[in-house]
Amino acid sequence: VMRDHTSVSIRQEFQVETSDPHRVTLSEFLISKRPAGELTWGQDVSVTCSISTQHLGGTFTLQQTSGSFRKSQTSSTNSVTFNIPQVTFSNEGSYQCQYQTRVSSRDFNSPQKRQIYDFVFCVSVILPKPSISMIPVGNVTWGQTVSITCSISTQHLGGTFTLQQSSGSFRKSQTSSTNSATFNIPQVTFSNEGSYQCQYQTRVSVILPKPSISMIPVGNVTWGQTVSITCSISTQHLGGTFTLQQSSGSFRKSQTSSTNSATFNIPQVTFSNEGSYQCQYQTRISSRDFSSPQSDSVRISATGKN
């Protein structure tokens, strides 16, 4: 679990020198986010930038220091709120607010690269408690081999299981592409006695790739023939729904799959089935729905009746 380094409220006073006989003073610059504290992956966040100044009607900019996020918003007041929906690990990092206003036909900016305006999003994913089992069950004979299996119910695969002896030196880690890992303890002795616990750790990626699409038969189809179109996707987030959509037409079918592919059958094609077809994949992770881009197209062209 990552620690939160968010500065909920930060104040700093600064002045902008001008050629005018007076100074333009921008003071008590504040930046805050809601909810405060650590963020859960997929959560909505709002960031408020405010500044104490009599020169209103300026533009606030929220910038991710190392990343692509940048939003600007003009405000007639001294503050503005930016909404960041469904945060992921790509939203982690430092953020800065900047204020720009026009006074006496001149533009003035607040300092842009001041560490005092930084705060950090720390995004975590809630994982369930792993299960643990042992073979053989019960007492073990000196010198016997013991197998301990750790498993977890999650879509976030590709992580690392760690088996730890609660009071002792035994600790082993094992990366697994599935939802379980088995640890062998050969020739146990009294030093192996005690309680053991499992832990699972993984880094989540929420970017779904473009699905692949293929058709059987390939090429022209005879009127009345059956066509099979297969959609597949390379992702660890299984258990989602594939949708096959006719680009210009009424055909649309969805199919839930526990694997990374689904096959759609179009029986007895007619001229109404002609056209391009695309796949899309949608899955639900941590109570949020995520959709892939549309796949490339395959085309059905029907020849005349026999």
Side-chain angles (χ1 to χ4, degrees):
V1 177
M2 291 166 282
R3 296 184 179 275
D4 180 45
H5 302 286
T6 302
S7 298
V8 175
S9 181
I10 303 173
R11 297 172 181 264
Q12 172 68 22
E13 293 190 1
F14 56 90
Q15 292 181 327
V16 180
E17 297 285 350
T18 77
S19 58
D20 297 327
H22 63 279
R23 291 171 181 256
V24 174
T25 303
L26 305 175
S27 63
E28 293 192 2
F29 200 108
L30 290 91
I31 178 172
S32 62
K33 77 174 176 69
R34 289 186 180 180
E38 187 174 276
L39 303 176
T40 302
W41 181 91
Q43 196 169 6
D44 294 338
V45 178
S46 63
V47 179
T48 299
C49 301
S50 60
I51 192 166
S52 178
T53 178
Q54 55 185 331
H55 304 293
L56 303 179
T59 299
F60 289 89
T61 298
L62 180 67
Q63 170 76 55
Q64 189 177 14
T65 307
S66 299
S68 60
F69 182 93
R70 179 186 173 90
K71 281 188 177 179
S72 295
Q73 193 170 321
T74 301
S75 175
S76 60
T77 67
N78 69 332
S79 68
V80 71
T81 297
F82 299 90
N83 294 315
I84 306 175
Q86 300 180 356
V87 296
T88 69
F89 287 124
S90 66
N91 296 115
E92 284 189 322
S94 298
Y95 286 73
Q96 295 174 326
C97 278
Q98 186 184 30
Y99 181 72
Q100 183 183 59
T101 189
R102 192 165 184 84
V103 181
S104 299
S105 301
R106 295 188 60 185
D107 291 326
F108 293 96
N109 295 326
S110 63
Q112 186 175 16
K113 295 183 178 178
R114 295 287 294 272
Q115 285 299 111
I116 198 161
Y117 303 119
D118 286 0
F119 66 96
V120 177
F121 284 171
C122 291
V123 184
S124 65
V125 173
I126 299 173
L127 295 171
K129 185 169 66 174
S131 299
I132 187 170
S133 61
M134 185 177 78
I135 296 177
V137 178
N139 292 334
V140 179
T141 305
W142 179 296
Q144 195 172 4
T145 295
V146 173
S147 295
I148 298 178
T149 298
C150 303
S151 60
I152 191 168
S153 177
T154 180
Q155 295 176 327
H156 306 300
L157 303 181
T160 300
F161 289 92
T162 298
L163 179 66
Q164 173 74 57
Q165 189 178 11
S166 302
S167 299
S169 60
F170 183 94
R171 179 185 172 92
K172 283 188 178 179
S173 295
Q174 188 174 320
T175 300
S176 175
S177 60
T178 67
N179 69 334
S180 66
T182 298
F183 299 85
N184 293 318
I185 306 175
Q187 301 178 345
V188 298
T189 65
F190 290 131
S191 66
N192 299 118
E193 285 189 322
S195 299
Y196 289 75
Q197 290 179 301
C198 291
Q199 188 178 39
Y200 181 72
Q201 185 178 45
T202 189
R203 182 87 175 166
V204 177
S205 173
V206 295
I207 300 174
L208 294 174
K210 183 169 69 172
S212 299
I213 187 170
S214 61
M215 184 176 78
I216 296 176
V218 178
N220 289 338
V221 179
T222 304
W223 179 297
Q225 195 173 3
T226 295
V227 173
S228 295
I229 297 179
T230 298
C231 304
S232 61
I233 192 169
S234 178
T235 182
Q236 296 174 334
H237 305 297
L238 303 182
T241 300
F242 289 92
T243 298
L244 180 65
Q245 173 74 56
Q246 190 178 10
S247 301
S248 299
S250 60
F251 183 93
R252 178 186 172 91
K253 282 189 177 179
S254 295
Q255 188 173 321
T256 301
S257 174
S258 60
T259 67
N260 69 333
S261 66
T263 298
F264 298 86
N265 292 318
I266 306 176
Q268 301 177 347
V269 297
T270 66
F271 291 132
S272 65
N273 298 120
E274 285 191 319
S276 297
Y277 291 76
Q278 288 179 297
C279 291
Q280 190 175 35
Y281 181 72
Q282 185 181 57
T283 189
R284 191 166 181 82
I285 307 170
S286 299
S287 302
R288 294 284 180 177
D289 290 323
F290 291 88
S291 298
S292 72
Q294 292 280 357
S295 70
D296 294 333
S297 299
V298 293
R299 184 171 184 82
I300 295 178
S301 298
T303 59
K305 289 183 180 180
N306 291 332

